[in-house]
Amino acid sequence: MVPAHRQLQHQAQQPQSGPGGTPGKVSGWVEDELLSNGVFQVACTVGRTVPAAIPGIAKISSRALSARTYTDIPYKVFTSPRRVRFVEMEYALPRAAAVTALSELKAQVERAGFKVSFPVEVRTAPADDLALSTASGRDTVYIAVHMYRGTPYEAYFAAAERIMTAHGGRPHWGKLHTRDAAYLADVYPRFGEFTALRDRLDPDRLFANAYLRRVLGE
């Protein structure tokens, strides 16, 4: 996970002049490889070994890995090497709940004293009309929490999940969560429509596994 939050703009074709310009090879390597992977990897390893050091490390990281704006062709903007391994949980909430949920999460982290070395990642998306899209039928904010691999994450993730589900959050289908079909049927208005289609197209559950039985039902 690259921890730096970026304001990114891109051109559909070749890069042209724009806000921030195209990053140079050296500056791009320093930001994406040296800092976001090398230095951040060391910082996370130290934090895993000495949890008390994490708040200080986080303050230094937030200054070193600051936001940047640049213009380039899409694949250079939206992809980057991610060598620092982590576990992640992400929930999609109604966009109007963003500030409240983030405030509650911050308060919970401070109250419980969780030592979190990764930033909370936030992004938004407009509503769509796909039955099981996490943005189905509503403008959406995505809030993702992470912990460095090998670091105890269960209590932090459980606390975050309680906050997200209190706001009608929809978990990312491919990331950690504990929700089941009964919960998901309540937060997806078209959940029954999808499962009916599943019953028709896969009545013998050839495309089933333990996870799908949990989130879609038997």
Side-chain angles (χ1 to χ4, degrees), residues 6 13 25 36 47 49 52 58 62 67-68 77 101 106 109 131 133 137 139 141 150 158 176 187 189 193 201 203 215:
R6 304 170 181 165
Q13 301 297 325
K25 289 185 178 180
S36 295
T49 304
S62 66
R68 59 182 173 141
V77 172
K106 181 177 184 293
V109 168
S133 164
D139 291 338
V141 61
L176 296 177
V187 296
E193 176 185 333
L201 298 179
V215 298

Side-chain angles (χ1 to χ4, degrees), residues 7 16 20 30 35 41 70-71 75 92 138 144 155 163 172 216:
Q7 297 177 349
Q16 300 178 21
V30 168
L35 295 177
Q41 173 76 62
Y70 65 88
T71 302
Y75 80 89
R138 69 190 190 190
I163 293 169
H172 188 294
L216 297 179

Side-chain angles (χ1 to χ4, degrees), residues 1-152:
M1 171 60 66
V2 177
H5 294 288
R6 304 170 181 165
Q7 297 177 349
L8 304 179
Q9 300 189 23
H10 69 276
Q11 303 289 339
Q13 301 297 325
Q14 293 299 314
Q16 300 178 21
S17 61
T22 302
K25 289 185 178 180
V26 174
S27 62
W29 178 85
V30 168
E31 180 73 28
D32 291 330
E33 193 60 56
L34 178 62
L35 295 177
S36 295
N37 284 305
V39 173
F40 192 54
Q41 173 76 62
V42 172
C44 287
T45 302
V46 171
R48 183 177 61 188
T49 304
V50 187
I54 288 176
I57 292 172
K59 289 180 180 179
I60 295 172
S61 297
S62 66
R63 289 195 294 267
L65 300 167
S66 58
R68 59 182 173 141
T69 299
Y70 65 88
T71 302
D72 212 327
I73 56 178
Y75 80 89
K76 292 184 178 181
V77 172
F78 294 116
T79 62
S80 57
R82 298 186 174 190
R83 310 189 200 285
V84 183
R85 302 306 178 196
F86 56 90
V87 292
E88 179 178 359
M89 181 175 70
E90 181 177 79
Y91 266 80
L93 279 63
R95 188 181 296 177
V99 173
T100 300
L102 287 168
S103 297
E104 292 171 349
L105 180 61
K106 181 177 184 293
Q108 179 61 46
V109 168
E110 293 173 348
R111 183 164 55 248
F114 294 133
K115 300 297 188 293
V116 183
S117 55
F118 267 79
V120 173
E121 194 170 75
V122 181
R123 59 192 175 92
T124 61
D128 61 41
D129 60 358
L130 305 178
L132 290 191
S133 164
T134 47
S136 181
R138 69 190 190 190
D139 291 338
T140 296
V141 61
Y142 294 91
I143 300 176
V145 295
H146 317 72
M147 287 292 273
Y148 182 55
R149 65 175 179 180
T151 303

Side-chain angles (χ1 to χ4, degrees), residues 127-210:
D128 61 41
D129 60 358
L130 305 178
L132 290 191
S133 164
T134 47
S136 181
R138 69 190 190 190
D139 291 338
T140 296
V141 61
Y142 294 91
I143 300 176
V145 295
H146 317 72
M147 287 292 273
Y148 182 55
R149 65 175 179 180
T151 303
Y153 66 87
E154 291 84 358
Y156 174 42
F157 279 23
E161 191 170 43
R162 285 192 295 270
I163 293 169
M164 303 307 161
T165 54
H167 292 283
R170 299 165 178 170
H172 188 294
W173 293 103
K175 298 177 183 179
L176 296 177
H177 69 90
T178 66
R179 300 299 88 188
D180 59 15
Y183 173 87
L184 295 169
D186 284 338
V187 296
Y188 283 96
R190 298 176 62 188
F191 189 83
E193 176 185 333
F194 180 87
T195 53
L197 180 63
R198 179 189 186 220
D199 289 341
R200 180 167 65 85
L201 298 179
D202 187 19
D204 298 323
R205 299 296 188 261
L206 296 178
F207 296 96
N209 56 35

